[in-house]
Amino acid sequence: MTAIVIIEQKWKDFFCVIENENKSPLNKPVFYTSSAIIICLLCFAALMPTVADALFKTLQSAIVTNGSWFYVLAVAFVVLFVVYLGMSRYGEIKLGPDHASPEFSFPTWLSMLFAAGMGIGLMFFGVSEPLMHFLAPPTAEAGTIDAVREAMKTTFFHWGVHAWAIYAIVALILGYFSYRQNLPLTLRSALYPLIGERIYGWPGHVVDIFAVTSTVFGIATSLGLGASQVNAGFNYLFGMPSGTGVQILIMACVVGLAVISVTTGLDKGIRRLSETNMVLAIVLLLIVLILGPTVFLLQAFMQNTGAYLADIVRNTFNLFAYDKTDWIGGWTIFYWGWWLAWAPFVGLFIARISYGRTIREFILGVLLIPSVFTLFWMTVFGNSAIDQVLVQGQDVLANMVNEDTAVALFVFLEQFPYSSVLSFIAVLMVIVFFVTSCDSGAMVVDMLCSHGRNDTPVWQRIYWAVGVGVVSAVLLYAGGLGALQTMTIAAALPFAIVLLIAMFGLLKALRVEGFKRESLQVLAGTPQHSDADKNWKGRLENIVSFPDEEAVLRFMRKVALPAMNEVGKEFEEQNFEVNVEETDEAFILTVTMGTDPDFIYAVYPTPTDQPEFAPSEQMDEGVQKTYYRAEVHLSEGGQNYDIMGWSKLSVINDVIDHYHKHQHFIHLLK
């Protein structure tokens, strides 16, 4: 009943927005052009699936034959670059102002990026891929212990740090330029260091159109995989017939759930679904671990990890140049292209949920923690599946991997106690991953079509949620899903080129950021101010007091603002362009520096919880009170110190101190 009420309200909002279209943040060139391209490609793939499949496979084959070295080099460079940033001095820089704090808790953040980053893939390939490598390894003899080692090492390689490094660098680029440089949270912002303000013109539109198109088709193909696996699960549990019609019906139901989720927003719908699925994933993982060969799986995980790390450099650059084989094109290059194709969607989503985190914290969270969980998942499910075939002689599982990959997971779970319960949990996980991919994808595409804004009308989010479902359903019915999947992989090549260029742009911006942080540490030759006009008792009284908002605002008007006006007047006499303004949030002094970065000194009244050591008369028992600080902000954000109670002379000298450091920063840039 609640869901019906929510839907009714959302539809009212929909028609309200239609009536007030001029208020929409919609980027019409991106929205209409992307929609037209998607419809044209959809018609081509649906009406002529055989021709489309042949065309795109020829394109992909040409890329694999002639450009596989570039895919390998690009991904290797991405991994090295991400590791370097995490270990470098830039690791302390925040994705946002210096005073920013994360929007989501660490567990919630991990749940959301994990659900968007891998999702259905873990359920679909957790059992099947290790078995496929075991039955047809690239170099070892099939069905042997050497094949087991190679199968797990190869699976780890495809699903480990390389995939998450691609997601991490795209998200880092977008998050940095959006939250730190105040650019739109869209893919075009990655090109700002290269083309500057032209990102707001047609070059930026082209980049976002490409991102929208690849995201829609990438999600559509994944939804096709998800629908087939949900159908297989329902067939196993309830005897539901399998077929395209049933899968389309399942997809329609899931899209309906996604519409409800996407209309409730990021903080409610997507967050709660991601947390739910993370709990279900951990429960299923632990059950399979405990009911399976527990000790063997723990030993295997340690050995698999060691083998993966020992050969990671060799495997990263291995192109089988001396042992010609089609294996690398069908597996490694396919995966690199797939991760790159998904990177605009997943990267933008991760950037959206990563505000306020430092670069080092971000890389640790995105690169290492999900990778470890993913590899442990592959060990528990993959090694257990291989053990069933190699040791227990379950040939039916091996045959099913080759016949119908979607059913392999449920055939695997049949060998455990309470198999029906485990299969139900697995189906539920796939459905939730299904919904999460659809609603997060709709949110990302909507942002790409709305100048990076998330406060868009509800009809736009519904349009893309339904649109992704329609694309997937049509392709599934017409048989064009494989063709569009192949096209998406092929489209990863130009994106890889753009990504490498954007990485150099990010490094250039971080170098400037480093100079700025270095300049803030410069104190030599800077006159030190003092509160000589206040006695020490007055200073102590000011320090231990906890003023309210009114008191801080009064101080800002009587002391801070006159000090900033006096400094500004002196700058004007030195022929600088100066602006001192009072906003609803702060007093801001801006000194224009021509083509160089402007100098900004601002004072914000900032609420803060009173500490426990506050005098008893200032604190009511059991009540956490709030007091205010007059905090200094520079162009890079809050500096986390309070000037409340300072004299006008002290504030003036503080402004001059920071200007001196800013001047040194400009010197370092030269």
Side-chain angles (χ1 to χ4, degrees):
M1 190 68 183
T2 303
I4 296 174
V5 173
I6 292 173
I7 293 174
E8 288 179 351
Q9 183 60 46
K10 296 303 179 183
W11 276 111
K12 291 179 182 178
D13 294 342
F14 170 84
F15 289 112
C16 182
V17 169
I18 294 294
E19 294 174 1
N20 300 278
E21 191 178 66
N22 61 318
K23 298 181 180 179
S24 173
L26 188 68
N27 187 337
K28 294 183 179 180
V30 174
F31 178 84
Y32 291 118
T33 306
S34 301
S35 298
I37 292 174
I38 291 169
I39 292 172
C40 291
L41 288 172
L42 180 64
C43 293
F44 175 53
L47 298 176
M48 295 182 287
T50 305
V51 176
D53 190 52
L55 175 64
F56 293 137
K57 281 185 176 177
T58 301
L59 178 61
Q60 185 183 2
S61 177
I63 291 174
V64 171
T65 302
N66 302 301
S68 57
W69 65 270
F70 177 75
Y71 274 104
V72 168
L73 182 62
V75 173
F77 192 75
V78 166
V79 174
L80 293 173
F81 187 70
V82 170
V83 173
Y84 162 73
L85 289 183
M87 298 175 63
S88 71
R89 60 175 180 149
Y90 307 128
E92 298 301 321
I93 297 174
K94 284 189 175 184
L95 300 181
D98 287 346
H99 62 281
S101 57
E103 185 177 359
F104 302 100
S105 67
F106 198 73
T108 298
W109 178 60
L110 287 177
S111 299
M112 287 195 289
L113 68 89
F114 180 79
M118 294 300 178
I120 294 173
L122 288 183
M123 304 298 297
F124 201 86
F125 293 104
V127 170
S128 60
E129 182 169 341
L131 267 178
M132 284 189 276
H133 292 317
F134 168 69
L135 298 172
T139 59
E141 183 181 350
T144 63
I145 297 300
D146 286 338
V148 178
R149 294 191 183 97
E150 189 163 282
M152 296 311 304
K153 186 166 59 178
T154 303
T155 303
F156 270 39
F157 180 60
H158 290 157
W159 290 83
V161 297
H162 292 72
W164 287 101
I166 294 171
Y167 293 160
I169 193 59
V170 175
L172 188 58
I173 291 170
L174 296 176
Y176 175 82
F177 285 113
S178 176
Y179 301 137
R180 196 77 178 176
Q181 305 291 337
N182 297 316
L183 295 174
L185 188 56
T186 63
L187 201 63
R188 70 178 68 201
S189 297
L191 299 182
Y192 185 81
L194 307 172
I195 63 176
E197 296 296 321
R198 285 183 292 171
I199 65 167
Y200 298 107
W202 70 263
H205 294 335
V206 170
V207 172
D208 284 347
I209 289 168
F210 169 80
V212 169
T213 305
S214 64
T215 297
V216 168
F217 286 121
I219 297 171
T221 53
S222 292
L223 294 187
L225 296 177
S228 65
Q229 195 163 39
V230 173
N231 192 184
F234 282 158
N235 177 262
Y236 172 79
L237 291 170
F238 311 114
M240 179 183 289
S242 298
T244 303
V246 177
Q247 291 173 14
I248 291 175
L249 180 62
I250 292 171
M251 196 173 296
C253 295
V254 169
V255 169
L257 294 173
V259 167
I260 297 174
S261 176
V262 80
T263 54
T264 58
L266 178 64
D267 188 56
K268 294 181 180 178
I270 299 177
R271 177 179 66 83
R272 291 172 180 173
L273 285 174
S274 299
E275 291 174 341
T276 301
N277 227 29
M278 196 67 185
V279 172
L280 290 174
I282 293 173
V283 169
L284 183 62
L285 182 70
L286 291 177
I287 292 175
V288 174
L289 175 65
I290 294 170
L291 296 180
T294 307
V295 176
F296 164 71
L297 292 176
L298 294 175
Q299 292 173 336
F301 175 67
M302 298 302 295
Q303 188 164 329
N304 293 341
T305 303
Y308 167 61
L309 295 176
D311 289 344
I312 192 170
V313 175
R314 183 178 67 84
N315 288 334
T316 297
F317 294 95
N318 185 15
L319 283 162
F320 293 92
Y322 303 113
D323 302 310
K324 300 297 183 183
T325 175
D326 293 332
W327 184 90
I328 189 171
W331 283 105
T332 302
I333 302 302
F334 176 85
Y335 266 120
W336 286 181
W338 186 242
W339 301 140
L340 285 165
W342 264 69
F345 154 53
V346 180
L348 198 151
F349 180 77
I350 293 175
R352 170 64 184 84
I353 64 176
S354 300
Y355 175 83
R357 302 199 178 274
T358 65
I359 290 178
R360 184 168 295 113
E361 180 187 16
F362 174 87
I363 290 174
L364 177 66
V366 177
L367 187 64
L368 295 183
I369 297 177
S371 294
V372 171
F373 184 88
T374 300
L375 299 183
F376 191 61
W377 179 282
M378 290 299 184
T379 295
V380 172
F381 283 83
N383 273 112
S384 296
I386 293 174
D387 184 73
Q388 289 184 10
V389 175
L390 182 63
V391 179
Q392 302 175 31
Q394 296 291 336
D395 293 334
V396 64
L397 178 58
N399 296 331
M400 186 56 66
V401 167
N402 295 320
E403 293 175 9
D404 191 348
T405 309
V407 185
L409 173 64
F410 303 102
V411 175
F412 165 76
L413 293 175
E414 281 184 357
Q415 310 308 315
F416 291 86
Y418 312 105
S419 59
S420 297
V421 176
L422 296 181
S423 296
F424 179 78
I425 295 174
V427 172
L428 186 60
M429 283 182 62
V430 174
I431 292 174
V432 178
F433 274 134
F434 207 165
V435 175
T436 306
S437 297
C438 189
D439 59 9
S440 57
M443 185 194 74
V444 166
V445 174
D446 186 33
M447 291 175 64
L448 287 168
C449 294
S450 304
H451 306 284
R453 291 175 57 178
N454 197 39
D455 56 338
T456 57
V458 69
W459 74 264
Q460 291 179 211
R461 285 169 278 165
I462 293 176
Y463 174 87
W464 289 114
V466 173
V468 169
V470 169
V471 169
S472 186
V474 171
L475 293 175
L476 196 64
Y477 178 78
L481 201 62
L484 265 299
Q485 184 178 22
T486 307
M487 183 208 71
T488 303
I489 303 303
L493 180 62
F495 177 72
I497 297 173
V498 173
L499 181 59
L500 291 175
I501 297 172
M503 287 162 59
F504 284 106
L506 175 64
L507 187 61
K508 179 181 178 183
L510 289 175
R511 181 172 172 268
V512 173
E513 189 84 33
F515 287 149
K516 184 61 180 284
R517 295 174 73 86
E518 181 181 332
S519 68
L520 291 175
Q521 306 302 318
V522 175
L523 297 176
T526 301
Q528 299 298 306
H529 60 80
S530 65
D531 283 328
D533 56 336
K534 278 185 174 264
N535 60 52
W536 66 270
K537 292 183 179 180
R539 290 184 61 198
L540 180 60
E541 181 183 357
N542 177 67
I543 293 171
V544 301
S545 66
F546 299 95
D548 57 17
E549 184 179 13
E550 184 180 349
V552 171
L553 289 174
R554 186 165 56 249
F555 163 79
M556 289 172 57
R557 292 191 180 93
K558 290 185 176 182
V559 178
L561 184 59
M564 295 163 72
N565 283 326
E566 284 195 28
V567 176
K569 184 178 179 181
E570 185 62 28
F571 271 116
E572 289 177 343
E573 292 183 3
Q574 301 295 330
N575 297 320
F576 284 88
E577 184 179 340
V578 180
N579 181 49
V580 179
E581 61 178 326
E582 178 180 354
T583 69
D584 293 336
E585 298 179 337
F587 295 152
I588 306 171
L589 166 68
T590 304
V591 182
T592 304
M593 309 292 291
T595 58
D596 295 318
D598 293 341
F599 169 70
I600 297 175
Y601 183 98
V603 183
Y604 284 73
T606 307
T608 307
D609 291 336
Q610 288 187 9
E612 294 183 0
F613 62 79
S616 58
E617 65 269 13
Q618 298 185 31
M619 289 284 290
D620 294 336
E621 187 175 352
V623 178
Q624 185 69 53
K625 285 193 173 183
T626 299
Y627 78 104
Y628 278 76
R629 292 157 49 94
E631 292 196 353
V632 173
H633 286 228
L634 305 177
S635 58
E636 57 274 16
Q639 300 305 296
N640 296 317
Y641 71 92
D642 182 18
I643 64 169
M644 176 65 185
W646 286 24
S647 67
K648 185 171 72 173
L649 179 60
S650 295
V651 176
I652 290 173
N653 280 310
D654 193 54
V655 176
I656 295 172
D657 287 352
H658 281 295
Y659 178 78
H660 190 189
K661 297 172 184 179
H662 185 78
Q663 195 176 47
H664 182 71
F665 159 63
I666 293 174
H667 167 72
L668 293 175
L669 288 179
K670 305 298 184 184

